[in-house]
Amino acid sequence: MLRLASQGASLALSSNSLCNSHIASLACSGLRLWSAAFTTTSNSVPEKLHVCVVGSGPAGFYTVDRLLKRYGDRVHVSILDRLPTPFGLVRSGVAPDHQDTKNVTNQFSSIAADPRVSFLGNVLVGRDVDVNELRALHHAVVLAYGAESDRRLGIPGEDVVPGGGVFSAREFVWWYNGHPDARHLHIDLSKVRSVAVCGIGNVALDCARTLLAPPSRFVHTDLAAHALTQLMGDHQTGGGSAVREVHLVARRGPVQAACTPKELKELLTDCGVSARTAAPDQLTVSEADSAEMKATRLKRRVFELVSKAVADASAADAAAGAAGGSSPQRRRDLFFQFYRNPVEVLRGPDGAVTGLRVERTVVRPDGPGGTSVAVGSGMFDTIPCEMVLKSIGYKSLPVQGVAFDCRRGIIPNVAGRVLQQADASASSPTSASTSGSAEGGPDEVAAANVGLYVVGWLKRGPTGIIGTNLVDAEETVDSLAGDAEALLRAGEMSHGSAGPPGAAGLEALLRQRGVRVVGWRRWRLLDEHELAAGRAAGRVREKVTEVREMLRVCGFAVE
Ligand code: NAP
């Protein structure tokens, strides 16, 4: 329970959490921050503000954008990425058949090419430089490194064993999008007929679409070449994907599905799939469901789409049967497995996946505030499959020296201001709070790390579309702006009138450490290379998927 500092209130500062010299000197000066005066005059700070943004995905770039718009020539931003490539989730998360969504990279590229911005790719925080060093070199650091891990089901058979066959959706998405960390994932679609996807959010739909749609849908996209070969086969080995059915396993019903109608419609109508339900009663609606659909148009729309697709598929089966056709044109099947909770991944003697055991559930309003939850019924089924994808949500990872809420998988924060380590365990504050205040006792005050901020999935959890980060970045930059004058003053106290060295100092440090930093011009070499290879193959882009090869194309000598 915390009362969060908001504009006009003083904020408790504890010197043990202030971990670089200018920040410490700020604490010593006993300044009372967040006064209304600072927040309202923050646009008129005289000196240049040096900000480091860690992560060059949408949250990172929107943060840079907001900073540039707010401070004009009075800001310089270093934007870091652990990979030689920018754009985070836009490059390795957005589905290849959603190229329009990727157009946002044009805007991000203009931002990165701005003289007030230094892109530093191939820099891993924690290996090449640490957060305290970044803080010492800049007035402020904004953590925007996203969610690069996964929630766990916590069921037997889930973990990677020699037989493989179980992947998080993130890994699978990284694999088909050519992320270097998933390049060598052991996926062989020529041996997989049936896939169980746990979860029914939009990521689950992306996975299902990739597995079920005709491969021709991806030929001209930037789907990684190794994934395209698996989907289509090739002249030498033949092969291609053997996947004929995908089961979307949802622990609740169609009315509670997390996916959105537009994405569901695309899967049901554009990809040549036949939609089925695991049992006829799965589309029966309760009174509570009806009320939910009445209240929320999107939920009603999802239900209608599922019902219509299932009815259309069974009518098509009946018509084909009546016409005496033994098998209608071979389509691929999408099974909705509603009210099914995964309880075990089944494996054969060789460790290969043979099925997913699920428990039938009923949905009850037993959650907080009467929200619906899935309750086990004691009845079990087995879904035969050779591969299981866990699409139950991404999770962020901690970085050394910064508080982390392991349960929620976020950095505890108040409107983007990172809370101190000691307070973090007590927090469930909530970055989601846009008002800058949260519930709590009147005497409790959350202490924030002055000069350390967070944005994006790392701040609020893995929800929302790319555009959600725009609003999120605005909130974090507002918080930073509220502190800017104090940060500038602290920088001056520890570094003299020039303030901290910012990107120039960071580049010098990395050079001294022998880090092969991929600046914007080097990335453009790789970008041009990929685009040219794509043009030659009649594709949008042919991605380079190994870091070593990326560095070679970027102009580094690679043994
Ligand atoms: P999500 O929308 O949160 O969906 C997670 C799914 O996993 C839900 O069906 C959830 O079921 C289920 N789940 C969670 N924990 C579970 C457990 N322990 N056991 C069984 N099932 C469990 O997450 P996401 O699909 O990863 O998407 C993340 C965000 O990215 C979303 O906001 C999504 O809209 C966005 N996104 C958008 C697009 C697009 O616009 N095209 C594409 C991809 C992603 P319950 O509902 O029962 O908890």
Side-chain angles (χ1 to χ4, degrees):
M1 297 283 278
L2 298 156
R3 181 167 61 83
L4 307 176
S6 58
Q7 290 184 2
S10 66
L11 188 87
L13 294 174
S14 133
S15 58
N16 64 6
S17 71
L18 301 171
C19 47
N20 71 37
S21 56
H22 69 270
I23 296 296
S25 59
L26 167 65
C28 295
S29 75
L31 288 171
R32 293 176 82 79
L33 306 182
W34 287 270
S35 73
F38 283 159
T39 53
T40 53
T41 61
S42 57
N43 275 343
S44 61
V45 290
E47 302 139 87
K48 188 160 278 196
L49 190 66
H50 290 282
V51 182
C52 179
V53 175
V54 180
S56 72
F61 266 111
Y62 281 131
T63 300
V64 181
D65 182 53
R66 293 292 102 187
L67 286 165
L68 297 184
K69 290 209 164 91
R70 186 157 197 141
Y71 288 106
D73 287 337
R74 288 169 294 130
V75 71
H76 191 100
V77 189
S78 321
I79 177 163
L80 273 52
D81 204 293
R82 73 178 179 93
L83 292 178
T85 52
F87 310 137
L89 206 68
V90 183
R91 181 175 164 105
S92 45
V94 173
D97 54 344
H98 287 175
Q99 287 297 318
D100 286 356
T101 309
K102 300 190 185 212
N103 287 340
V104 72
T105 57
N106 297 331
Q107 183 195 349
F108 295 165
S109 295
S110 310
I111 293 169
D114 191 293
R116 295 166 291 172
V117 178
S118 301
F119 173 73
L120 293 88
N122 198 37
V123 177
L124 178 59
V125 175
R127 177 193 65 190
D128 301 322
V129 63
D130 66 34
V131 172
N132 289 343
E133 289 170 328
L134 294 176
R135 296 185 71 188
L137 290 164
H138 300 80
H139 290 104
V141 171
V142 184
L143 300 172
Y145 61 79
E148 297 208 320
S149 185
D150 317 285
R151 287 193 192 131
R152 286 176 52 77
L153 284 166
I155 61 173
E158 171 180 13
D159 291 313
V160 178
V161 297
V166 181
F167 306 98
S168 70
R170 175 191 57 81
E171 291 172 311
F172 184 65
V173 170
W174 277 12
W175 173 77
Y176 68 61
N177 271 325
H179 190 296
D181 289 5
R183 167 71 184 88
H184 297 288
L185 221 54
H186 187 69
I187 290 177
D188 183 354
L189 296 180
S190 71
K191 296 194 170 60
V192 176
R193 202 189 148 277
S194 169
V195 181
V197 181
C198 305
I200 191 168
N202 284 334
V203 172
L205 301 195
D206 282 347
C207 294
R209 218 173 51 254
T210 307
L211 289 164
L212 290 176
S216 56
R217 186 176 175 91
F218 300 100
V219 169
H220 302 295
T221 71
D222 61 352
L223 183 92
H226 57 258
L228 191 62
T229 305
Q230 289 242 355
L231 291 180
M232 303 194 72
D234 61 30
H235 295 309
Q236 283 170 350
T237 57
S241 169
V243 174
R244 289 294 169 267
E245 57 190 48
V246 167
H247 299 258
L248 286 175
V249 184
R251 59 185 173 179
R252 296 186 291 161
V255 177
Q256 293 81 35
C259 59
T260 46
K262 181 167 166 273
E263 283 65 30
L264 182 61
K265 182 166 184 245
E266 179 185 25
L267 171 62
L268 293 173
T269 60
D270 298 355
C271 300
V273 300
S274 290
R276 324 268 175 201
T277 48
D281 63 352
Q282 294 206 323
L283 295 178
T284 309
V285 289
S286 65
E287 269 181 39
D289 287 339
S290 301
E292 212 171 332
M293 285 195 279
K294 212 170 165 188
T296 316
R297 193 184 64 82
L298 291 183
K299 296 203 173 288
R300 188 170 70 244
R301 187 75 189 116
V302 165
F303 181 78
E304 287 167 356
L305 285 166
V306 173
S307 306
K308 179 170 185 324
V310 170
D312 286 352
S314 62
D317 288 349
S326 51
S327 70
Q329 191 198 0
R330 188 67 209 131
R331 288 160 68 99
R332 298 183 181 190
D333 290 323
L334 175 70
F335 284 89
F336 289 101
Q337 299 273 358
F338 290 117
Y339 306 104
R340 301 289 186 269
N341 197 26
V343 291
E344 184 177 2
V345 177
L346 304 173
R347 295 179 184 274
D350 57 353
V353 171
T354 58
L356 180 70
R357 191 158 184 261
V358 293
E359 182 176 16
R360 296 186 191 185
T361 63
V362 287
V363 167
R364 296 220 183 102
D366 295 349
T371 50
S372 68
V373 290
V375 179
S377 70
M379 287 185 288
F380 297 87
D381 298 299
T382 295
I383 301 169
C385 60
E386 295 80 37
M387 187 161 105
V388 173
L389 297 179
K390 300 176 290 174
S391 187
I392 60 167
Y394 288 43
K395 197 168 177 180
S396 295
L397 292 167
V399 63
Q400 204 188 1
V402 181
F404 193 74
D405 180 337
C406 294
R407 192 179 56 80
R408 297 179 62 206
I410 60 160
I411 290 183
N413 69 92
V414 181
R417 285 189 181 101
V418 172
L419 293 183
Q420 291 177 13
Q421 197 100 28
D423 301 292
S425 56
S427 83
S428 27
T430 172
S431 52
S433 146
T434 48
S435 64
S437 64
E439 287 175 28
D443 299 326
E444 295 165 287
V445 176
N449 274 292
V450 182
L452 188 59
Y453 307 87
V454 62
V455 69
W457 280 8
L458 185 59
K459 169 188 175 188
R460 65 176 196 273
T463 57
I465 58 173
I466 288 173
T468 313
N469 293 297
L470 188 57
V471 181
D472 194 348
E474 242 160 38
E475 182 188 62
T476 291
V477 171
D478 278 350
S479 294
L480 191 156
D483 308 343
E485 194 146 340
L487 291 167
L488 282 163
R489 206 176 305 176
E492 203 176 311
M493 282 164 75
S494 53
H495 293 276
S497 58
L506 177 56
E507 281 170 23
L509 178 71
L510 294 169
R511 211 175 309 121
Q512 186 195 327
R513 288 179 179 169
V515 180
R516 291 180 286 190
V517 176
V518 175
W520 195 249
R521 267 187 293 134
R522 286 190 189 269
W523 149 250
R524 292 286 295 133
L525 293 176
L526 176 56
D527 190 29
E528 283 302 332
H529 171 93
E530 291 187 340
L531 291 170
R535 274 194 298 276
R539 313 191 63 210
V540 169
R541 172 186 294 272
E542 199 74 72
K543 283 180 181 170
V544 176
T545 58
E546 305 272 8
V547 169
R548 191 186 150 83
E549 177 61 4
M550 288 176 180
L551 293 177
R552 193 191 64 72
V553 176
C554 286
F556 288 105
V558 178
E559 312 86 48

